Amino acid sequence: MQKKFLGFIVLIIISAGLIGCSIMGKNKADAEDISTDKEMEAVENIKKINQKLVDNNDVSITITEKYEVGDRIYKEIGYTVEIVNKRTDVDLQVGISDVTVNGKKNNPLWSTVVSAGSKSNENITWWVGNKSDKYNPNVKTLEDLKNVKGTVVVSNGKTSANIGKYKINIK
């Protein structure tokens, strides 16, 4: 009886050891999987700024922050812009063209319509990731977004008639 009991205890100890090794091996494999997915780590970086780009009788456009969100494979980098439509009679369409970043041509996305007499917060966005190099060859991180020059184009939201073009320089 004692031999059976002792054999049973030995069996439990061996089983516990095997189960423990199995769990440790699984956790090690999980840790390796996580380390290979570093590209999927979330990125979120926001820097508050206050730079007036345009301020006249028609429109006021101010950059309020510089941001970076997404992951290491696919993310957005850009500026949050506050647009105030000072005109009460017409919706304004606002966009950006002829953009360079540190001297290289870029194609950020930004076009919006702001209703008459209202304000809106919008984003000027550089997409970073799959096939973005041909549009934004030198913007990969928030630090790359410097010495941004271009033209803000403001037009009538219904007729597309030109209201103004304004050269900008974002530092």
Side-chain angles (χ1 to χ4, degrees):
M1 175 81 154
Q2 238 179 357
K3 282 186 178 182
K4 286 184 180 179
F5 182 72
L6 189 55
F8 181 71
I9 294 295
V10 170
L11 182 62
I12 289 175
I13 291 171
I14 292 172
S15 295
L18 291 173
I19 291 171
C21 288
S22 172
I23 290 171
M24 286 175 43
K26 182 174 172 84
N27 287 342
K28 185 177 178 185
D30 289 346
E32 288 172 6
D33 288 343
I34 290 170
S35 68
T36 59
D37 284 340
K38 284 186 179 177
E39 296 85 23
M40 298 304 290
E41 289 176 6
V43 173
E44 184 170 348
N45 189 1
I46 297 173
K47 294 181 180 180
K48 297 288 184 190
I49 56 178
N50 185 22
Q51 183 181 351
K52 189 76 69 177
L53 298 180
V54 179
D55 193 11
N56 58 34
N57 291 334
D58 296 319
V59 65
S60 172
I61 302 172
T62 306
I63 297 207
T64 59
E65 63 188 22
K66 193 174 182 181
Y67 72 92
E68 178 178 28
V69 294
D71 57 49
R72 298 198 187 283
I73 291 176
Y74 181 80
K75 63 186 166 185
E76 295 178 22
I77 298 172
Y79 298 103
T80 300
V81 181
E82 179 184 79
I83 307 161
V84 178
N85 183 347
K86 295 180 180 179
R87 297 192 54 171
T88 57
D89 62 333
V90 68
D91 296 346
L92 296 180
Q93 181 166 351
V94 182
I96 195 165
S97 66
D98 304 322
V99 177
T100 60
V101 176
N102 220 14
K104 288 190 179 181
K105 185 161 176 53
N106 277 227
N107 290 308
L109 302 174
W110 185 41
S111 181
T112 188
V113 175
V114 182
S115 300
S118 68
K119 75 177 183 179
S120 178
N121 287 311
E122 303 292 334
N123 293 328
I124 302 173
T125 304
W126 280 258
W127 297 101
V128 177
N130 190 19
K131 299 181 183 175
S132 68
D133 285 348
K134 84 178 198 185
Y135 301 107
N136 304 306
N138 59 330
V139 177
K140 304 294 177 224
T141 68
L142 194 61
E143 287 75 32
D144 296 335
L145 204 55
K146 58 188 169 195
N147 194 23
V148 177
K149 295 180 181 179
T151 303
V152 171
V153 180
V154 179
S155 56
N156 182 312
K158 292 188 173 116
T159 66
S160 297
N162 184 33
I163 292 176
K165 292 183 179 183
Y166 311 97
K167 295 285 184 190
I168 61 166
N169 185 1
I170 305 169
K171 299 179 185 206

